[in-house]
């Protein structure tokens, strides 16, 4: 068994090397590839074809790989009949066009091989537990990268993935408070707003500030911080506000807490649009021209790290006491848990990550305006938390991708008037999507009250146990 | 004389016009098992709540191992509304929240069982180790406290073994039968490493065999963990069997105090429990 695993790992490494070599060798070889696609130089007889071919070479000479890629696509699509695209040429062409994806795939294969070797050599079993999660995480990120390269950064799929990742972080941070600590707070949009604004204010390009803050003499901040520093500041700003308002607000219970935090979010929204703060917040005008991300890997990485931190927290002794407070405040206090300190802790941490999520949302939208952070945004996040299951991190993550996909993509057709022949399908018109959406949500709340996951988590351990159970104690895993 | 484990001095708890505990003074010495009995509504649980910080008494003081942990005098509108029989008010005001009192070494169980419903038996006990943490939020999240975490888990497991629930450790706490839920509550209280254990009707809802076993169990954990036990109980057999001393209260007021044999024959106690003949 051990030998088999090492051989398999070796094969994976060889495959990875082949892929890497192919991707790297085809990289700088486009001119020769162009010749090989057209061995008989048919382009010389066809002016249009020659023009298309030349466009590729010029773009290449100008060192503009994106344009080269686009020109190449056009050249191949337009003249596929004349070109030789099979065999070795096709292979090289494939690697040329999908070079980055293939490198990512090779990386994944190496990780998988490393995992296999660790699995085979590990005696204590400690590494073994980490192998599968590590491989799954690599699959996720490599997968996102490949999909982005194939589907294109602006495709609907990538929109859903980007927004889904951001909403996942927002939902998990809200779940930490509402689902795990049992504090029914509706201030999420307020903390997101603080995060989004803090991020935007600190990361607008210095030379664009005069233009962005045109009504406020260029604003008062005249420097630009790196994106990650601004994101951290966004979280800290939201956490600071939470700390300050937590002092009075966390002494309230259930509904009163919800009302107070909802009110806080509305007040924040008004304050950020206040003209007097214009040099900082640009009043009620847009903030724009700040650093944004150009690959979906960025929100996936930031949200992934944040969600992992929240999960670690929830499974620590502090997380256990949060859950104790949720289950029974009186008993929790009698067990020596300082109610106020722990509620404050949960509130501040949740707000920190809401702020980070707000910053990511700002990057995703590329502009920020306070007016957009309405309580409807809080309800959207709350909805995701409820659909996913109060007290389930994986539930929140799954639900946020489903929610974003449904609202941005799958239910879009409901908004468009559709003709079947000469028959106009009734009801389908702008806004109908939200009607259907509401009905779906009502159904979930009525018939599926615990949400997708309830308070359980997707767990590899349980999955594995169930598998081995089904195998009826067959061969021991070895 | 060494300081008593717990001492109540003229404690009065008044809700509006109702005096639930009236001028109650008592002391519990190290290693004793002391029972507080009285008819329904006599103010036993209120007395417990005053000791553990759930309520702040209207007036009076509580000492734990010689340290003043609760002290209050009538304030605000209670100055005029005060209806307790003791008028010599303490000057100090000391208020402690239940969590701080538990940290000092007093742990309690509840009359109506209060377990953490969504958690397993083991997790219920594990939560009670939280107050002994030395890790902070960062070290706990980053798993830099492995050693502490392991010792917490071992401690929680040994508490479960002490009450005989080790085989049910992964079941949901609420799925246990009643008697075991009571024992789990005791295990959870023990996991806070108390010196004084306050049990609020631990035998409520138990049949005679279970009650008998519980009595032996309480005596056993007292010697095993070096505890002092203060309990409220209605099962007279249990109370007479295990208590070193008994306090009897009725309408918030102490009506008798003594060893079980003295209480059994006390006419005031019999009157309080059975009522007076109208003739």
């Amino acid at each position: 068994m051990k030998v088999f695993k090492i051989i398999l790992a070796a094969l994976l490494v060889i495959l990875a090397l082949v892929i890497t070599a192919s991707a790297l060798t085809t990289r700088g070889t486009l001119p020769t590839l162009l010749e090989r696609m057209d061995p008989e130089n048919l382009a010389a007889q066809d002016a249009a074809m020659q023009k298309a071919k030349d466009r590729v070479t010029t773009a290449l000479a100008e060192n503009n790989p994106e344009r080269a890629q686009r020109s190449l696509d056009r050249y191949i699509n337009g003249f596929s009949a004349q070109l030789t695209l099979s065999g070795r040429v096709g292979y090289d062409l494939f690697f040329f066009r999908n070079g980055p994806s293939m490198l990512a795939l090779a990386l994944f294969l190496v990780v998988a091989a490393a995992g296999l070797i660790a699995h085979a050599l590990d005696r204590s079993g400690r590494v073994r537990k980490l192998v599968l999660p590590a491989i799954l995480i690599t699959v996720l990120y490599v997968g996102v990268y490949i999909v982005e390269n194939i589907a294109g950064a602006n495709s609907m799929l990538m929109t859903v993935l980007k927004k889904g990742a951001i909403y996942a972080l927002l939902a998990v941070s809200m779940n930490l408070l509402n689902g795990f600590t049992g504090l029914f707070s509706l201030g999420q949009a307020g903390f997101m707003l603080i995060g989004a604004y803090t991020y935007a204010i600190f990361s607008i390009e210095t030379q664009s500030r005069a233009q962005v803050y045109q009504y406020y003499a260029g604003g008062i901040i005249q420097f630009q911080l790196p994106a990650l520093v601004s994101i951290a500041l966004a979280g800290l700003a939201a956490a600071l506000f939470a700390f300050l308002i937590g002092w009075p607000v966390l002494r309230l219970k259930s509904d009163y807490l919800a009302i107070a935090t909802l009110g806080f979010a509305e007040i924040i929204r008004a304050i950020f649009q206040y003209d007097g703060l214009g040099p900082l917040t640009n009043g009620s005008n847009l903030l724009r021209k700040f650093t944004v991300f150009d690959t979906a890997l960025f929100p996936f990485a930031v949200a992934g790290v944040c969600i992992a931190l929240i999960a670690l927290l929830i499974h620590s002794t502090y997380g256990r006491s949060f859950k104790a407070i949720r289950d029974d405040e009186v008993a929790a206090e009698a067990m020596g848990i300082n109610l106020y300190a722990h509620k404050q802790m949960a509130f501040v941490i949740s707000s920190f990550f809401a702020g980070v999520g707000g910053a990511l949302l700002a990057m995703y939208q590329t502009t920020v305006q306070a007016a957009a952070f309405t309580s409807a945004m809080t309800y959207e996040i709350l909805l995701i938390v409820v659909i996913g299951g109060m007290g389930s991190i994986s539930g929140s993550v799954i639900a946020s991708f489903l929610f974003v996909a449904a609202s941005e993509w799958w239910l879009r057709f409901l908004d468009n008037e559709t003709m079947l022949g000469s028959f106009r399908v009734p009801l389908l018109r702008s806004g109908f999507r939200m009607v259907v959406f509401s009905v779906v949500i009502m159904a979930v709340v009525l018939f599926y009250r615990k949400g997708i996951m309830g308070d359980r988590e997707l767990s590899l351990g349980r999955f594995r146990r169930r598998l081995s159970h089904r195998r009826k104690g067959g061969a021991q895993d070895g | 004389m060494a300081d008593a484990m717990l001492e109540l001095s003229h404690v009065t708890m008044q809700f509006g016009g109702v005096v639930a505990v009236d001028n109650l003074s008592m002391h519990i010495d190290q290693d004793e098992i002391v029972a507080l009995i009285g008819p329904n509504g006599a103010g036993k649980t209120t007395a417990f709540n005053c000791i553990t910080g759930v309520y702040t008494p209207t007036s009076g003081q509580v000492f734990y191992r010689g340290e003043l942990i609760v002290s209050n005098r009538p304030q605000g509108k209670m100055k005029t509304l005060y209806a307790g029989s003791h008028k010599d008010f303490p000057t100090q005001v000391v208020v402690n929240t239940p969590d701080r009192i538990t940290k000092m070494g007093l742990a309690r169980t509840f009359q109506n069982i209060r377990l953490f419903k969504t958690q397993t038996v083991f997790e219920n006990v594990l939560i009670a180790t939280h107050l002994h943490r030395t890790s902070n939020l960062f070290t706990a999240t980053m798993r830099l406290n492995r050693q502490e975490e392991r010792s917490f888990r071992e401690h929680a497991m040994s508490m479960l073994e002490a009450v005989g629930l080790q085989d049910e450790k992964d079941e949901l706490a609420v799925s246990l039968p009643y008697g075991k839920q009571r024992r789990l509550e005791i295990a959870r209280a023990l996991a806070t490493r108390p010196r004084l254990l306050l049990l609020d009707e631990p035998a409520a809802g138990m049949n005679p065999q279970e009650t008998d076993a519980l009595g032996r169990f309480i005596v056993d954990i007292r010697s095993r963990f070096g505890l002092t036990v203060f309990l409220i109980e209605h099962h007279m057999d249990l109370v007479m069997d295990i208590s070193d001393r008994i306090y009897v209260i009725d309408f918030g007021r102490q009506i008798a105090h003594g060893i079980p044999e003295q209480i059994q024959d006390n006419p005031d106690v019999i009157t309080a429990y059975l009522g007076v003949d109208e003739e």
Side-chain angles (χ1 to χ4, degrees):
Chain A
M1 216 43 206
K2 199 185 273 185
V3 179
F4 176 71
K5 269 180 198 158
I6 291 175
I7 291 172
L8 190 62
L11 286 176
L12 287 180
V13 171
I14 291 168
L15 187 59
L17 286 176
V18 170
I19 291 173
T20 316
S22 305
L24 290 180
T25 48
T26 52
R27 209 166 210 187
T29 57
L30 189 56
T32 48
L33 201 57
L34 281 175
E35 298 310 317
R36 281 163 61 204
M37 279 194 288
D38 186 15
E40 289 147 48
N41 204 7
L42 296 171
Q45 296 150 36
D46 187 336
M49 190 169 163
Q50 183 66 46
K51 206 174 160 194
K53 190 174 174 182
D54 287 345
R55 198 179 282 145
V56 183
T57 358
T58 349
L60 220 52
E62 283 170 5
N63 215 356
N64 188 342
E66 254 173 62
R67 179 126 53 87
Q69 191 89 22
R70 248 180 297 137
S71 316
L72 180 69
D73 287 345
R74 211 181 301 160
Y75 178 54
I76 292 170
N77 289 337
F79 306 97
S80 53
Q82 289 95 317
L83 293 170
T84 318
L85 292 172
S86 56
R88 186 63 216 235
V89 179
Y91 177 82
D92 283 352
L93 194 61
F94 175 78
F95 274 98
F96 179 78
R97 296 170 100 182
N98 297 301
S101 303
M102 287 300 119
L103 286 176
L105 184 66
L107 173 73
F108 163 67
L109 290 177
V110 171
V111 171
L116 266 176
I117 291 171
H119 204 269
L121 299 181
D122 176 43
R123 269 159 216 242
S124 63
R126 197 181 294 163
V127 182
R128 189 169 289 195
K129 262 197 278 180
L130 296 174
V131 167
L132 201 50
I135 289 181
L136 287 178
I137 289 168
T138 325
V139 167
L140 174 71
Y141 284 90
V142 169
V144 169
Y145 186 68
I146 292 177
V147 166
E148 188 168 41
N149 274 300
I150 290 173
N154 295 321
S155 61
M156 187 52 92
L157 180 61
M158 289 322 291
T159 306
V160 168
L161 286 180
K162 279 187 262 188
K163 203 173 171 192
I166 297 166
Y167 269 49
L169 172 60
L170 292 167
V172 171
S173 87
M174 195 170 189
N175 210 342
L176 172 66
L177 201 57
N178 291 30
F180 287 98
T181 320
L183 295 172
F184 190 45
S185 155
L186 293 176
Q188 195 78 350
F191 297 115
M192 285 159 63
L193 188 154
I194 293 170
Y197 261 75
T198 309
Y199 173 78
I201 288 166
F202 284 113
S203 61
I204 295 174
E205 298 160 23
T206 317
Q207 65 269 29
S208 307
R209 282 190 187 260
Q211 193 191 344
V212 174
Y213 286 97
Q214 52 177 323
Y215 302 110
Y216 299 97
I220 50 169
I221 293 177
Q222 290 300 339
F223 56 87
Q224 182 189 15
L225 294 176
L228 283 175
V229 176
S230 303
I231 288 179
L233 279 178
L236 289 176
L240 178 70
F241 268 84
F243 182 79
L244 294 178
I245 71 152
W247 191 75
V249 156
L250 287 176
R251 286 156 210 277
L252 302 170
K253 294 219 183 291
S254 61
D255 317 0
Y256 303 102
L257 175 65
I259 293 164
T261 45
L262 188 66
F264 155 78
E266 292 297 310
I267 291 168
I268 284 289
R269 189 157 62 93
I271 289 177
F272 272 72
Q273 294 182 73
Y274 168 54
D275 207 45
L277 287 175
L280 196 62
T281 64
N282 208 11
S284 54
N285 306 304
L286 280 176
L287 283 176
R288 59 205 164 86
K289 305 233 171 187
F290 44 80
T291 320
V292 298
F293 50 75
D294 43 12
T295 161
L297 284 178
F298 186 82
F300 265 83
V302 174
V305 168
C306 291
I307 291 172
L309 283 176
I310 296 175
L312 281 171
L313 169 70
I314 283 169
H315 290 108
S316 75
T317 179
Y318 287 89
R320 287 197 294 267
S321 50
F322 292 164
K323 286 189 255 180
I325 292 171
R326 169 191 68 188
D327 285 355
D328 193 324
E329 281 195 6
V330 176
E333 204 173 18
M335 290 304 115
I337 296 168
N338 185 335
L339 285 187
Y340 175 68
H342 283 78
K343 284 180 179 179
Q344 178 77 285
M345 227 181 264
F347 193 52
V348 168
I349 294 168
S350 162
S351 305
F352 176 87
F353 288 114
V356 172
L360 289 179
L361 196 65
M363 297 176 102
Y364 166 78
Q365 292 172 337
T366 70
T367 60
V368 189
Q369 194 169 22
F373 291 83
T374 55
S375 49
M377 207 173 229
T378 302
Y379 298 140
E380 258 185 2
I381 313 283
L382 181 65
L383 207 59
I384 293 174
V385 173
V386 172
I387 292 174
M390 299 280 265
S392 169
I393 296 174
S394 39
S396 289
V397 173
I398 296 168
S400 60
F401 282 103
L402 288 179
F403 177 92
V404 172
S407 72
E408 300 272 324
W409 191 8
W410 297 337
L411 297 181
R412 273 282 162 189
F413 73 96
L414 295 170
D415 268 3
N416 303 329
E417 283 192 24
T418 311
M419 307 294 280
L420 287 178
S422 61
F423 172 69
R424 197 175 141 272
V425 182
L427 293 175
L428 292 190
R429 72 195 60 167
S430 181
F432 186 61
R433 178 171 59 118
M434 291 322 285
V435 177
V436 173
F437 209 60
S438 317
V439 172
V440 169
I441 283 148
M442 265 193 261
V444 168
V445 174
L446 283 177
F447 302 113
Y448 213 50
R449 204 160 296 169
K450 286 193 155 177
I452 299 170
M453 298 297 296
D455 58 0
R456 289 162 303 150
E457 296 290 349
L458 268 188
S459 130
L460 287 173
R462 184 167 22 198
F463 186 64
R464 211 178 290 160
R465 269 198 299 280
R466 192 172 294 175
L467 273 185
S468 58
H469 192 70
R470 204 161 284 171
R471 266 189 269 153
K472 283 259 161 80
Q476 284 285 309
D477 187 34
Chain B
M1 191 187 104
D3 287 319
M5 183 55 92
L6 185 75
E7 190 180 339
L8 272 68
S9 162
H10 308 292
V11 171
T12 299
M13 180 76 228
Q14 187 177 347
F15 297 103
V18 179
V19 185
V21 174
D22 190 357
N23 191 19
L24 188 66
S25 294
M26 53 172 61
H27 69 97
I28 297 165
D29 291 326
Q30 174 110 33
D31 298 331
E32 269 191 313
I33 295 182
V34 175
L36 178 64
I37 64 172
N40 284 326
K44 304 181 294 292
T45 299
T46 308
F48 253 42
N49 284 341
C50 288
I51 297 168
T52 54
V54 177
Y55 299 145
T56 306
T58 315
S59 168
Q61 296 184 310
V62 181
F63 296 88
Y64 169 69
R65 291 154 64 82
E67 188 189 344
L68 185 63
I69 60 170
V70 175
S71 178
N72 198 13
R73 60 185 137 81
Q75 299 181 62
K77 66 176 181 182
M78 272 300 152
K79 268 185 195 160
T80 48
L81 279 178
Y82 182 74
S85 57
H86 187 78
K87 308 286 189 205
D88 187 12
F89 303 130
T91 49
Q92 272 174 291
V93 174
V94 177
V95 178
N96 271 313
T97 47
D99 59 289
R100 272 193 261 166
I101 288 179
T102 306
K103 263 179 214 155
M104 292 173 193
L106 291 86
R108 71 172 294 183
T109 65
F110 294 91
Q111 185 177 3
N112 44 344
I113 299 174
R114 283 178 172 273
L115 291 169
F116 302 120
K117 293 190 178 61
T118 63
Q119 324 248 2
T120 66
V121 169
F122 181 68
E123 285 165 339
N124 261 276
V125 181
L126 195 54
I127 286 163
T129 61
H130 183 65
L131 81 168
H132 294 296
R133 71 191 180 274
T134 54
S135 57
N136 57 33
L137 203 54
F138 178 76
T139 54
T141 304
M142 300 320 278
R143 299 289 184 272
L144 301 172
N145 61 340
R146 276 174 203 280
Q147 193 138 19
E148 180 184 81
E149 182 76 17
R150 197 178 315 126
S151 76
F152 280 174
R153 284 173 185 275
E154 280 164 11
H155 180 62
M157 203 55 221
S158 68
M159 290 304 125
L160 278 182
E161 277 159 13
V163 301
L165 286 173
Q166 65 273 29
D167 296 333
E168 283 98 344
K169 78 181 186 77
D170 292 323
E171 282 177 38
L172 271 186
V174 282
S175 70
L176 290 182
Y178 197 74
K180 286 185 174 174
Q181 290 195 17
R182 286 261 173 227
R183 271 196 278 160
L184 176 57
E185 254 208 331
I186 295 176
R188 194 178 63 173
L190 287 177
T192 65
R193 300 179 201 262
R195 287 164 172 277
L196 175 64
L197 184 62
L198 296 102
L199 303 172
D200 197 347
E201 297 200 23
M206 286 187 176
N207 63 32
Q209 287 84 6
E210 284 174 324
T211 311
D212 211 34
L214 180 76
R216 284 197 302 274
F217 173 67
I218 293 173
V219 174
D220 175 47
I221 55 171
R222 167 178 65 167
S223 52
R224 189 139 41 120
F225 298 105
L227 291 171
T228 306
V229 180
F230 183 29
L231 78 156
I232 294 175
E233 192 44 76
H234 276 303
H235 283 64
M236 282 309 142
D237 293 342
L238 176 69
V239 172
M240 296 301 163
D241 192 22
I242 65 170
S243 311
D244 298 313
R245 281 186 302 123
I246 298 173
Y247 285 91
V248 191
I249 61 173
D250 191 16
F251 295 112
R253 237 174 268 205
Q254 180 184 321
I255 56 170
H257 164 224
I259 61 169
E261 289 71 22
Q262 291 172 317
I263 299 300
Q264 266 167 335
D265 302 325
N266 188 311
D268 290 339
V269 178
I270 294 168
T271 315
Y273 269 90
L274 301 178
V276 227
D277 222 335
E278 284 296 316
E279 280 303 299

